[in-house]
Amino acid sequence: MKEPLKAVRITDKVYWVGAVDWDIRDFHGYSTNRGTSYNAYLILAEKPTLIDTVKAPFLPEMMARISSVIDPKAIRLVVSNHSEMDHSGALPELLKLIEPEKVVASPAGVKALRAHFHDLAPVQAVKEGESLDLGGDRLSFRMTPMLHWPDSMFSYLESDGVLFSNDAFGMHLASLSRFDDEVPDWRYEAAKYYANILLPFSDIVLALLDKFDKTGFSPKMIAPDHGPIWRKDVKMIMSLWGAWARQKGTDKAVIVFDTMWGSTEKLALAAAEGLAAGGTKTVVMPMRLSHRSDVATELLDAGALLVGSPTINRQMFPTMADVLSYLKGLKPRSKIGAAFGSYGWAGESIQQVQDALVAMGVSTCEPVKCQYVPDAAALASAYDLGQKISAKLKEPR
Amino acid sequence: MKKYVCKVCGYIYDPEVGDPEHGLPPQTPWEAVPADWVCPICGVSKEDFEPVE
Ligand SMILES: [Fe+2]
Ligand SMILES: [Fe+2]
Ligand SMILES: [Zn+2]
């Protein structure tokens, strides 16, 4: 039988030669419910060039796709836009197989690759604004530190107007289609990627978009390292990124909680009713059934975060410590919120949650707490809390 | 001498150590770090640093 794995042509000269990972459900603690793809790109210029590779186990898939259009040994230049192992894992083995003339990365990328793969073939650094002649075609490099690693850079193929953006503008979404217009239901996955990977670097995202704007840079295509290639919605994904980076919370609240005997849950549901009565879009997420990366996604466009935890042995519930630690690292901005919870003895968790919210920069309302099972008065104060937050979300911020 | 931490990547500028790789010898206080110096890890400028408490 003929090899079923083929390269996919995306412009005259550029081919997608990546791999589709249908199986992955946990990407370093981020739930990838729809799998992902590791996108590598082959430029069939006079000097054939490969941009990024794939996660190590997918090397054979990438090699098969490359072989469908060219002998892999004909590749003369390899570019590593990002050192993270989902894109560099196959690099050491690939370099041994094809022995290209030159391998390049950003200055930070050179160091990071060396720190990952200790006996890697030599990699040369390219700097901001530098370009390489692929034999008539120019490939230029733009440093994009902290989008999302220090080593991240973009490569731009001027002749075809294709921006190879590594993880930027990407998403985890496995598909047999390669283009945005062939994968219409990408919105949640794009938001999830932004919320979980880029949110802490929102100022840097805004500076980048601003620079694009001021210099009139508008690529015809954006080819990220995960998910669909942007050819139809290039402008839309950039403006979504701008909106997500600005973090103007909408009239939406996320309630995360855990519960031991159902009492903190009762408070959560009462608060949710109060919010909904005020017209606030409300998402309720029980933390033993919800993934932290989905909480981050729901919180992306929310204006409020309410966190409920029972007290277990004088601590907040472990699932709540997990999600609060995770969210803190993502540095969400301009949220309002509150802590709540039921307890049996002293109720330390409520203050712990409150402190965690404050440390995260959330401006908090008075917590709602009750001993053991909430009575009508306790439920009413949780409902009132929901109403109060709903009203606050409507104030101009 | 006060240490400063990069708010983006967490790198700590320690005046005792300086940043010799980028021309700042040990014992260079924060105030003497030039305005065009950037974080050696992530490349952001001095404004993105805050004092370590
Ligand atoms: Fe990455
Ligand atoms: Fe990635
Ligand atoms: Zn830094």
Side-chain angles (χ1 to χ4, degrees):
Chain A
M1 191 202 147
K2 279 207 336 218
E3 173 59 64
L5 298 168
K6 302 269 191 280
V8 179
R9 188 172 206 162
I10 66 164
T11 71
D12 277 355
K13 291 184 206 88
V14 181
Y15 289 77
W16 175 86
V17 290
V20 185
D21 190 346
W22 294 96
D23 292 359
I24 192 165
R25 289 295 178 272
D26 182 331
F27 190 99
H28 65 40
Y30 167 144
S31 68
T32 45
N33 300 329
R34 294 170 72 189
T36 193
S37 66
Y38 313 109
N39 299 338
Y41 299 96
L42 179 65
I43 305 172
L44 287 190
E46 195 185 303
K47 291 186 187 171
T49 297
L50 182 71
I51 311 243
D52 285 326
T53 69
V54 293
K55 199 170 157 181
F58 293 86
L59 175 69
E61 179 169 342
M62 180 179 75
M63 294 308 274
R65 294 191 194 276
I66 294 171
S67 303
S68 74
V69 286
I70 189 180
D71 174 3
K73 284 194 183 346
I75 293 172
R76 290 169 67 185
L77 173 68
V78 176
V79 177
S80 168
N81 276 335
H82 181 26
S83 311
E84 197 163 7
M85 284 189 282
D86 47 337
H87 312 296
S88 67
L91 186 65
E93 213 35 52
L94 172 89
L95 297 185
K96 281 180 203 150
L97 290 170
I98 69 170
E99 300 180 325
E101 280 167 27
K102 200 169 179 171
V103 186
V104 300
S106 68
V110 171
K111 287 188 195 166
L113 287 170
R114 206 180 294 140
H116 277 84
F117 312 107
H118 311 289
D119 60 348
L120 189 70
V123 180
Q124 283 165 261
V126 286
K127 294 211 173 71
E128 170 67 27
E130 200 173 322
S131 64
L132 290 174
D133 182 6
L134 310 182
D137 295 296
R138 291 228 140 253
L139 188 67
S140 57
F141 305 102
R142 186 190 285 261
M143 302 303 119
T144 56
M146 301 320 277
L147 293 180
H148 69 112
W149 272 18
D151 51 77
S152 301
M153 70 171 188
F154 289 178
S155 304
Y156 183 59
L157 182 64
E158 289 163 17
S159 56
D160 292 31
V162 181
L163 180 69
F164 301 97
S165 61
N166 82 75
D167 282 331
F169 309 114
M171 71 185 78
H172 290 308
L173 177 55
S175 174
L176 289 167
S177 303
R178 300 274 63 90
F179 291 101
D180 55 353
D181 48 293
E182 301 165 340
V183 190
D185 52 346
W186 50 260
R187 179 75 180 244
Y188 183 85
E189 301 308 333
K192 185 168 188 173
Y193 198 86
Y194 190 91
N196 285 277
I197 306 289
L198 279 308
L199 193 69
F201 314 115
S202 287
D203 286 344
I204 300 172
V205 169
L206 289 173
L208 176 84
L209 294 174
D210 193 53
K211 204 165 159 192
F212 279 7
D213 227 35
K214 289 210 171 96
T215 56
F217 178 70
S218 82
K220 279 199 209 91
M221 252 184 221
I222 297 179
D225 276 359
H226 301 283
I229 295 159
W230 303 99
R231 67 176 174 193
K232 174 174 159 274
D233 287 326
V234 176
K235 291 250 151 62
M236 190 197 292
I237 190 63
M238 289 206 227
S239 73
L240 280 172
W241 269 48
W244 292 330
R246 281 186 286 275
Q247 300 189 56
K248 295 242 181 304
T250 59
D251 188 4
K252 173 181 173 184
V254 179
I255 302 181
V256 292
F257 71 95
D258 212 324
T259 197
M260 292 166 73
W261 289 102
S263 292
T264 300
E265 179 169 30
K266 286 195 172 89
L267 296 175
L269 299 184
E273 293 292 334
L275 281 155
T280 296
K281 182 181 174 195
T282 303
V283 182
V284 177
M285 307 186 85
M287 281 321 297
R288 256 177 289 169
L289 304 167
S290 309
H291 199 275
R292 62 176 91 85
S293 57
D294 287 313
V295 175
T297 312
E298 290 295 353
L299 195 61
L300 182 60
D301 62 350
L305 172 65
L306 288 80
V307 181
S309 178
T311 299
I312 178 165
N313 297 324
R314 310 189 62 195
Q315 304 298 316
M316 75 169 90
F317 206 75
T319 49
M320 303 316 299
D322 176 313
V323 71
L324 284 170
S325 162
Y326 187 70
L327 292 178
K328 184 183 181 196
L330 294 174
K331 298 193 194 165
R333 281 200 190 140
S334 52
K335 309 289 181 206
I336 59 171
F340 62 91
S342 145
Y343 62 94
W345 315 324
E348 289 88 342
S349 74
I350 294 107
Q351 189 60 44
Q352 290 164 3
V353 169
Q354 165 78 16
D355 292 348
L357 287 173
V358 169
M360 215 190 283
V362 175
S363 63
T364 54
C365 303
E366 197 53 37
V368 167
K369 55 200 278 187
C370 79
Q371 195 176 23
Y372 293 120
V373 179
D375 58 7
L379 291 175
S381 45
Y383 184 89
D384 289 348
L385 174 67
Q387 287 219 303
K388 191 157 95 188
I389 287 180
S390 180
K392 269 188 197 269
L393 283 171
K394 284 158 190 76
E395 288 167 11
R397 269 165 297 143
Chain B
M1 280 187 289
K2 219 168 179 43
K3 293 178 187 174
Y4 282 74
V5 61
C6 172
K7 288 188 278 181
V8 175
C9 74
Y11 165 84
I12 290 174
Y13 178 79
D14 180 353
E16 305 287 335
V17 183
D19 179 13
E21 230 191 295
H22 302 95
L24 301 181
Q27 308 304 325
T28 305
W30 182 248
E31 295 68 33
V33 173
D36 62 354
W37 176 85
V38 295
C39 173
I41 301 293
C42 77
V44 299
S45 61
K46 275 184 84 177
E47 292 136 51
D48 288 306
F49 280 70
E50 61 188 11
V52 177
E53 291 320 316

